[in-house]
Amino acid sequence: MPSAAPRYDLPGTDAFSRVYWDAAAQGRLLLRRCRADGCGAAHHYPREFCPRCWSEDMEWEEASGRATLYTWSVVHRNDLPPFGERVPYVAAVVDLAEGPRMMTEVVDCPEADLRIGMPLRVRFRTGADTGAGTGRGTGTDPAAPTLAVPVFGPA
């Protein structure tokens, strides 16, 4: 049986990020928050240290799922599988209500309706939408848990 083409839309997972991806599969968006005195910064993408003060005293925190659109670009061509099947799509940066900025995709919104500052709400691309699999770029391991990737749509 031929192997499936590599996928470039599935995240790599490891022991540290497993908490994040398990929560996403349950429809919850997690952030990391610094617990160091005088810092308290929340950040995304999840890291094992605070990108502001470099403390390793971090904790997971559930985000509200609310965001506003900071900027976007409509992608009309992408040759990496499976993005070519999805064009056009909206690659975006959103400001999460908790403070961090996050790279994502805006879904279920016509291009003409996009506005800087528009309220958004997290949604999760799951199952067939992600090519459920290991998250190692192939999506071919049927025993692996389903990945859910956070995307945003109009609130």
Side-chain angles (χ1 to χ4, degrees):
M1 182 168 141
S3 63
R7 301 250 337 227
Y8 296 94
D9 63 330
L10 299 178
T13 58
D14 58 24
F16 169 73
S17 66
R18 176 57 47 201
V19 172
Y20 178 83
W21 296 113
D22 286 349
Q26 298 167 6
R28 299 180 308 123
L29 177 63
L30 296 184
L31 303 173
R32 296 282 282 173
R33 184 166 301 274
C34 182
R35 295 171 14 137
D37 289 338
C39 186
H43 65 271
H44 191 278
Y45 67 91
R47 288 161 271 204
E48 295 184 57
F49 62 90
C50 176
R52 185 168 139 197
C53 75
W54 298 90
S55 171
E56 293 179 2
D57 188 7
M58 305 294 302
E59 65 185 344
W60 291 102
E61 174 182 300
E62 187 167 349
S64 67
R66 294 178 291 114
T68 58
L69 185 59
Y70 176 74
T71 190
W72 76 92
S73 180
V74 180
V75 178
H76 293 278
R77 181 177 174 147
N78 188 332
D79 295 331
L80 296 176
F83 295 108
E85 301 164 9
R86 294 184 189 160
V87 294
Y89 61 89
V90 178
V93 176
V94 300
D95 287 327
L96 299 175
E98 293 77 13
R101 284 200 170 132
M102 177 179 172
M103 293 182 68
T104 187
E105 181 180 349
V106 174
V107 297
D108 302 327
C109 184
E111 181 181 342
D113 293 348
L114 295 169
R115 299 284 182 268
I116 291 175
M118 75 181 292
L120 301 169
R121 189 102 183 128
V122 73
R123 301 170 189 195
F124 293 88
R125 177 178 283 136
T126 59
D129 294 338
T130 61
T134 65
R136 288 185 288 256
T138 63
T140 59
D141 181 356
T146 298
L147 284 172
V149 178
V151 297
F152 284 78

